[in-house]
Amino acid sequence: MKKQSLIKFIQTRTGFLTLLVFLFWLKYIFVAYCDFSLGLGDPYQHIIMWLSPIGTAVLLTSIGFYFPKPIVSYIMMLVMDCLNTILLFANVLYYRQFTDFLTVKTITNASKVAPGLGKSSVALLQPSDIIIWIDLIVVILLLIFKKIKIDQKSYGLLTPFAITSVGAFLVGFNMFLAESSRPRLLRNTFDRSYVVKYLGIDTYTTYDGIKSVQTVQDTKNASASDLNSIISYTQQNYAKPNSSMFGIEKGKNVIIIHLESFQQFLINLKVNGKEVTPFLNSLYSGKHTISFSNFYHQVGLGRTSDAENLLETSTYGISDGSLFTSLGSEKTFQAAPQILKQKNYTSAVFHGNVGTFWNRSSVYKNMGYNYFFDQSYFSSARTDKIGYGLKDKLLFAESIKYLEQIQQPFYCKYITVTNHIPFTMDAEDLDPNFKTTSTRDTTINNYFQTAHYLDQAVHEFFNYLKKSGLYKNTMVVIYGDHYALSNSENQTLAPIIGESADTWNEFNNVQMQRVPFMIIAPNLKGYRNNEISGEIDVLPTLLHLLGVNTKNYIQFGSDLFSSDYKKWVVFRNGTIVSEKYVIIGGKGIKGTVYDRKSGKQILHYTAQEKKEIAYLAAQAKESLKYSDQLNTHNLLRFYTPAGFVPVNPNQYDYFTNYQQMIQIRNQLAGKSTSLYSQHHGSTTKLYSTDAIQLKNRQDEINKIPSSVLNNHLNSSKSSSSSSKNKK
């Protein structure tokens, strides 16, 4: 009897809505426990989490009730349920990759990071994902085969309004329970997982959207006076240069090599008796290399773009997305390229992906980069891409015909991509002499192969630098941009790196956030620096080496060679690493704190420890807060340091890079400082690579693609046409 009553109820429109809400609730609970790590503690928190998706699901699905035509009403209820499922599933995939939740800024800027994401997304799929979609498939089939009949009854407005009211009440009740468990939850939000845990994905997304709108409004209302406290903070934390290091690389070229997803544990690691990265190991211990063993990435959701921003501006990425995609198109930067332009440096970026990825083609102009060579500049990009762009060996090899034309001194950055999740390689690129691991996790096995390939690519590039003579007049900076393997994979990795999977904990996960950082130059005396350091500190360190004092700039890092260096770093999620402590998640002593030397959790604090931890927590919070204010409100538009000329992005045209360089070389004639001019011809024949794609194809290294040459012609025609139209 009860079964028949239930079936009869489902045949009503109210029953159909109840069925959709119930099924969504089931898969939400499944995802919350199996895919998200929400830190659920006492039973009360579990109850709040169980309740959190119901109210918003009722609210969304009830929209269909307002359509009087029965068939349209059912379709709209299904559409709203489907959209809610898409949001849930998107967060599942995003969480697997970033251990965080989607923000509205990330969603709205998805088109700017879409190219090349396909393989990475597929790699994140799991068989259990069918559970998220199976209910919708079954319900649609039941409707098609009329096992669930369309309720033809007219409901007017009273019933829909009553259902919406019930949903609103449940949302309000959920927020009441959340506030009783976590007071001021939405006012003191430092971790998105807390909002999701207590209020659910839908309410979190709504809250994040409102916060984004408020940020836009705050930016419009910002004024120069908002900078006062920020300037005061950065001036107080300024670290004066080390007199013995200041200007030691003055006038030298700078080449930044951005090692994609390269973690510190790869250095000196052997797999099956072979070094994974033999060349980088030799550099790391080289007699002209200053290497940093406790250097941490500090990226957030922007990953690679965050690393670039940290390196170029000494400010943090934003907390709710990528600064490049969310703010970069309109943002005022005081970045390395423009700062060094005051010292007559020419700047360029080489990257094997499309120029719009991470919104780089706009951001680089705002940073002051003279040239940006994306995949359109490389012949091999037509056929020899993998994952996120041109393979690294081909990128370095084909870049030489452009690098040799840049006027010196130059500041150039190479962004590698082959060592990027899902770490796939074509069989022809594998080194037959290197055998990777055979764990149950193919991502880990692949990772060592792509890292080995990257190592070989860098080796080939260094050989060219020495053959061409560039090496003797260049400071090379090599760094890993961010972690590669997620926390969920670390336990599988543990035995390979000499750790125990059984004792692996949060402290070990923090240690895995270390990435390599090396400064290499012929006149440097190499040594290993073991102090705590991070990506935020790179810019002031490099500028001081080049003889540029950073005192008047707003930067949140400090010179690593200075006696005033702060010796602590804060991650984007609030975790702090200092000489003595690892403080998880920005919660101070209320969270989890480890002794950094022993790796053991501190359970009972002395008065001195409480004082030290409270100080670090306050400093870290201020640093992130002021950086966020500076970036999200675009406050640098109100501040110009003495001697700095603001960027004019309209002067840059990345479609005609090659033509611009040739024109400058011809204009300078005998005064040209390009490598091409110094050698009285091209140096591309000095480049040697074992890349199978370039075997017997030396012309690919030498030749300028016809598409690049045509860019100038097309650009000229466009300008001519535009001028005629104006007339």
Side-chain angles (χ1 to χ4, degrees):
M1 189 69 179
K2 287 184 178 179
K3 183 179 179 181
Q4 289 180 342
S5 298
L6 179 61
I7 293 173
K8 188 176 180 180
F9 176 64
I10 291 173
Q11 300 296 341
T12 67
R13 208 177 304 181
T14 310
F16 184 71
L17 180 146
T18 305
L19 176 65
L20 292 182
V21 171
F22 176 70
L23 292 174
F24 181 81
W25 176 79
L26 283 179
K27 60 192 174 190
Y28 185 94
I29 298 301
F30 170 78
V31 163
Y33 284 109
C34 297
D35 287 288
F36 300 153
S37 179
L38 298 178
L40 295 164
D42 56 71
Y44 190 47
Q45 290 184 359
H46 287 266
I47 292 170
I48 296 173
M49 189 275 288
W50 296 339
L51 177 65
S52 65
I54 300 175
T56 51
V58 171
L59 277 174
L60 289 169
T61 315
S62 72
I63 292 173
F65 246 85
Y66 288 90
F67 292 84
K69 288 187 177 181
I71 185 65
V72 177
S73 178
Y74 274 71
I75 290 172
M76 287 307 300
M77 283 192 281
L78 277 170
V79 167
M80 297 312 298
D81 187 39
C82 184
L83 290 174
N84 212 11
T85 300
I86 289 171
L87 178 63
L88 179 65
F89 185 58
N91 272 282
V92 168
L93 294 182
Y94 197 78
Y95 195 88
R96 286 174 188 164
Q97 177 68 11
F98 298 102
T99 320
D100 209 334
F101 297 96
L102 278 167
T103 66
V104 170
K105 284 182 180 177
T106 303
I107 295 170
T108 55
N109 288 289
S111 62
K112 296 176 182 177
V113 295
L117 287 177
K119 289 187 178 180
S120 293
S121 298
V122 171
L124 296 171
L125 295 175
Q126 296 180 4
S128 61
D129 292 341
I130 190 64
I131 294 174
I132 301 174
W133 294 102
I134 193 68
D135 66 308
L136 276 168
I137 297 170
V138 170
V139 168
I140 291 171
L141 288 174
L142 288 174
L143 282 168
I144 291 172
F145 292 104
K146 298 184 178 180
K147 297 296 182 181
I148 295 178
K149 296 180 174 61
I150 304 294
D151 181 6
Q152 300 296 330
K153 181 181 175 182
S154 177
Y155 284 88
L157 285 175
L158 187 60
T159 300
F161 181 74
I163 294 172
T164 301
S165 298
V166 169
F169 169 77
L170 289 172
V171 171
F173 184 59
N174 176 212
M175 296 187 76
F176 169 76
L177 295 179
E179 187 69 17
S180 66
S181 178
R182 181 79 184 182
R184 300 172 66 85
L185 173 65
L186 297 180
R187 295 184 183 181
N188 297 326
T189 303
F190 57 85
D191 190 338
R192 279 179 281 274
S193 66
Y194 272 76
V195 183
V196 174
K197 174 168 68 174
Y198 287 107
L199 300 177
I201 287 288
D202 293 334
T203 304
Y204 153 71
T205 304
T206 304
Y207 161 73
D208 184 69
I210 293 170
K211 194 172 69 169
S212 296
V213 172
Q214 289 176 338
T215 298
V216 171
Q217 192 59 44
D218 288 343
T219 301
K220 290 181 180 178
N221 296 333
S223 65
S225 61
D226 297 327
L227 271 170
N228 294 337
S229 56
I230 298 174
I231 294 173
S232 176
Y233 175 81
T234 55
Q235 288 295 308
Q236 288 173 11
N237 289 277
Y238 165 74
K240 63 180 182 296
N242 180 325
S243 59
S244 65
M245 299 295 286
F246 185 76
I248 196 171
E249 295 298 308
K250 187 175 182 179
K252 298 295 179 66
N253 297 317
V254 180
I255 294 178
I256 309 285
I257 301 179
H258 175 117
L259 303 178
E260 173 63 44
S261 304
F262 198 102
Q263 293 177 250
Q264 176 69 17
F265 71 81
L266 287 170
I267 298 294
N268 294 324
L269 178 70
K270 288 186 177 182
V271 169
N272 294 316
K274 295 275 188 177
E275 290 179 287
V276 179
T277 57
F279 180 67
L280 288 170
N281 295 347
S282 68
L283 286 180
Y284 187 74
S285 303
K287 62 181 181 180
H288 297 298
T289 302
I290 301 176
S291 54
F292 295 77
S293 62
N294 286 302
F295 181 84
Y296 292 82
H297 81 78
Q298 296 170 278
V299 308
L301 302 181
R303 297 285 288 268
T304 297
S305 63
D306 276 4
E308 290 187 75
N309 179 69
L310 283 154
L311 198 80
E312 306 281 21
T313 71
S314 193
T315 66
Y316 301 96
I318 57 177
S319 64
D320 54 354
S322 164
L323 184 147
F324 273 29
T325 57
S326 298
L327 308 172
S329 295
E330 307 298 329
K331 189 179 181 313
T332 300
F333 291 94
Q334 291 173 6
Q338 188 68 11
I339 294 173
L340 289 174
K341 197 161 293 181
Q342 324 304 314
K343 301 294 182 181
N344 298 316
Y345 274 73
T346 309
S347 53
V349 182
F350 297 93
H351 184 39
N353 205 339
V354 293
T356 53
F357 191 60
W358 283 128
N359 198 30
R360 287 188 173 100
S361 53
S362 292
V363 172
Y364 288 160
K365 290 179 181 179
N366 289 345
M367 284 186 166
Y369 270 107
N370 294 98
Y371 310 116
F372 175 28
F373 298 92
D374 68 356
Q375 70 175 219
S376 66
Y377 278 87
F378 306 105
S379 300
S380 300
R382 296 192 304 271
T383 56
D384 299 315
K385 294 184 290 184
I386 191 167
Y388 280 71
L390 185 65
K391 296 173 182 178
D392 295 339
K393 288 184 181 180
L394 310 182
L395 170 71
F396 283 116
E398 281 208 58
S399 73
I400 302 308
K401 54 179 168 272
Y402 305 119
L403 181 67
E404 67 181 4
Q405 299 290 354
I406 300 174
Q407 296 298 311
Q408 302 181 68
F410 56 64
Y411 175 88
C412 291
K413 178 169 63 176
Y414 281 83
I415 303 175
T416 62
V417 298
T418 308
N419 192 47
H420 196 298
I421 193 169
F423 311 112
T424 52
M425 291 272 290
D426 291 331
E428 63 186 3
D429 296 308
L430 296 175
D431 182 352
N433 298 314
F434 177 75
K435 182 182 178 183
T436 189
T437 54
S438 55
T439 71
R440 66 177 184 272
D441 192 326
T442 55
T443 301
I444 291 175
N445 302 336
N446 291 345
Y447 181 54
F448 295 121
Q449 291 179 327
T450 53
H452 186 71
Y453 175 90
L454 172 57
D455 180 77
Q456 293 176 325
V458 175
H459 192 181
E460 291 176 353
F461 182 60
F462 261 77
N463 287 340
Y464 165 78
L465 293 179
K466 291 180 178 179
K467 286 180 184 177
S468 66
L470 266 182
Y471 179 77
K472 64 184 180 183
N473 195 40
T474 299
M475 175 172 66
V476 182
V477 177
I478 299 178
Y479 83 110
D481 63 344
H482 54 72
Y483 67 94
L485 304 173
S486 64
N487 290 345
S488 62
E489 292 166 310
N490 285 341
Q491 286 181 296
T492 303
L493 179 70
I496 300 170
I497 60 176
E499 298 289 343
S500 169
D502 296 330
T503 59
W504 194 274
N505 58 21
E506 285 182 296
F507 174 81
N508 299 104
N509 285 335
V510 170
Q511 290 300 90
M512 291 295 284
Q513 308 315 308
R514 290 180 299 166
V515 292
F517 177 48
M518 316 175 211
I519 303 173
I520 305 146
N523 62 326
L524 287 180
K525 184 178 180 180
Y527 69 94
R528 184 80 48 80
N529 186 310
N530 297 316
E531 291 185 347
I532 301 299
S533 53
E535 289 171 334
I536 198 80
D537 303 309
V538 173
L539 181 61
T541 302
L542 297 187
L543 289 178
H544 284 178
L545 287 172
L546 295 170
V548 179
N549 200 311
T550 62
K551 185 172 179 60
N552 292 327
Y553 289 97
I554 297 177
Q555 298 174 354
F556 291 85
S558 55
D559 184 348
L560 293 170
F561 302 120
S562 171
S563 58
D564 297 328
Y565 174 67
K566 62 185 187 313
K567 298 183 182 179
W568 59 265
V569 296
V570 58
F571 297 177
R572 184 60 262 191
N573 66 3
T575 290
I576 303 163
V577 181
S578 73
E579 290 184 294
K580 293 176 64 174
Y581 308 107
V582 172
I583 308 166
I584 306 292
K587 305 169 192 175
I589 60 172
K590 292 182 180 179
T592 307
V593 181
Y594 292 89
D595 180 286
R596 195 182 71 83
K597 299 293 185 183
S598 68
K600 293 181 179 179
Q601 185 178 350
I602 301 174
L603 300 174
H604 304 287
Y605 303 96
T606 65
Q608 181 62 23
E609 286 173 336
K610 287 182 179 180
K611 182 179 178 181
E612 291 172 348
I613 293 169
Y615 171 78
L616 286 168
Q619 283 290 304
K621 186 176 180 180
E622 270 196 312
S623 188
L624 291 173
K625 179 185 74 173
Y626 286 138
S627 177
D628 282 347
Q629 288 177 359
L630 184 79
N631 286 325
T632 58
H633 298 170
N634 197 20
L635 296 179
L636 282 178
R637 61 194 154 130
F638 302 119
Y639 179 72
T640 303
F644 179 79
V645 178
V647 177
N648 176 13
N650 296 322
Q651 72 183 86
Y652 302 115
D653 176 9
Y654 294 151
F655 287 102
T656 59
N657 287 329
Y658 182 70
Q659 290 77 13
Q660 292 174 50
M661 293 189 299
I662 299 303
Q663 186 178 20
I664 291 171
R665 190 190 81 201
N666 291 337
Q667 287 175 345
L668 291 173
K671 294 182 179 180
S672 171
T673 59
S674 70
L675 191 65
Y676 185 98
S677 297
Q678 291 176 346
H679 279 256
H680 305 291
S682 180
T683 64
T684 56
K685 291 183 178 180
L686 299 176
Y687 202 95
S688 177
T689 175
D690 67 0
I692 191 70
Q693 296 84 3
L694 293 177
K695 188 176 182 180
N696 301 321
R697 286 167 55 191
Q698 180 72 24
D699 62 318
E700 296 286 344
I701 300 178
N702 305 335
K703 189 178 178 182
I704 306 299
S706 58
S707 59
V708 172
L709 296 175
N710 289 338
N711 279 342
H712 180 59
L713 181 62
N714 294 335
S715 179
S716 298
K717 287 181 179 178
S718 176
S719 299
S720 175
S721 175
S722 176
S723 298
K724 288 179 181 178
N725 289 336
K726 287 179 181 178
K727 290 178 182 178

